Amino acid sequence: MLDCRDPETWGPSLDAAVDAVARGAVIVLPTDTVYGVGADAFQPPAVAALLAAKGRGRQMPPPVLIPSVRTVDGLARDVPDAARTLMESCWPGALTVIVHAQPSLAWDLGETGGTVALRVPDHPSALALLSRTGPLAVTSANRTGEPAATTALEAHEQLGDAVAVYLDAGDSPLGVASTIVDATGPRLRIVRQGGVSRETLASLVGEALEGADG
């Protein structure tokens, strides 16, 4: 359990997490929504270990956290203009956007159907970590079917020794999961309501959002 609350002192904690990710281990990290359990998105054995820690199968692939919107085009293709509007307006923040993945990527997140769910978290230590590791496969830090962890201790109680490094930044600011929007169809569709409201999304993209026109 390593403290990462203060940018002045979190260096050694982030170093340990970066080293763990590089060797294919699983880590727990704070985000703005809830705590996440993550691994290098480009190491298939690491992603498999992440899913095993979560108690989840390949049919439920993890989202990918990225350091900035500039990372999107390296991972996704055919991103609709409305989806870009949401990314540019709501990131960093509690919005996950499902897009078509670049087919050439050397990763295996599970049964994705050629898609990937992307998010830029609004949390300083998470962004500092992502700037060093690059894209991380991250899902909520809990066993499947259990409540999402909003503290590092709650994550440890559920995941235990399956995780190599726990980064502790105190309570999660929001304490609720991100809103998920599917941008792979003819219109944007809300898959899960979370930290960004339907009203906010509709105000940004109007009728490009399914159901926004009544």
Side-chain angles (χ1 to χ4, degrees):
M1 191 74 64
L2 303 176
D3 188 86
C4 66
R5 301 165 202 251
D6 184 354
E8 297 294 324
T9 59
W10 71 27
S13 298
L14 292 190
D15 288 345
V18 170
D19 289 345
V21 168
R23 67 174 186 267
V26 177
I27 66 168
V28 158
L29 66 152
T31 80
D32 48 330
T33 54
V34 295
Y35 272 75
V37 56
D40 185 346
F42 291 97
Q43 293 191 47
V47 175
L50 162 64
L51 293 174
K54 175 92 172 176
R56 174 180 287 185
R58 287 174 51 81
Q59 74 280 5
M60 296 181 69
V64 172
L65 294 188
I66 57 178
S68 77
V69 70
R70 295 188 300 275
T71 311
V72 169
D73 288 325
L75 304 178
R77 62 177 177 84
D78 303 328
V79 179
D81 289 342
R84 290 191 187 276
T85 296
L86 293 186
M87 293 170 177
E88 291 165 0
S89 301
C90 298
W91 286 354
L95 177 70
T96 299
V97 183
I98 301 171
V99 289
H100 293 290
Q102 288 283 5
S104 60
L105 290 173
W107 63 9
D108 182 5
L109 299 172
E111 303 304 324
T112 65
T115 66
V116 61
L118 300 175
R119 184 166 91 87
V120 180
D122 189 11
H123 195 286
S125 53
L127 291 171
L129 177 66
L130 289 163
S131 71
R132 296 179 59 186
T133 62
L136 293 178
V138 178
T139 184
S140 58
N142 57 282
R143 293 285 295 176
T144 295
E146 298 297 321
T150 58
T151 68
L153 181 59
E154 289 177 359
H156 185 269
E157 288 171 350
Q158 295 194 50
L159 301 174
D161 293 339
V163 171
V165 170
Y166 287 83
L167 294 178
D168 183 2
D171 293 345
S172 301
L174 286 178
V176 297
S178 65
T179 296
I180 301 177
V181 170
D182 186 346
T184 63
R187 299 173 76 188
L188 305 185
R189 180 173 62 89
I190 297 174
V191 177
R192 180 182 73 191
Q193 186 63 64
V196 178
S197 70
R198 171 183 287 274
E199 290 74 22
T200 297
L201 300 176
S203 71
L204 291 168
V205 297
E207 293 184 2
L209 178 69
E210 190 175 283
D213 50 359

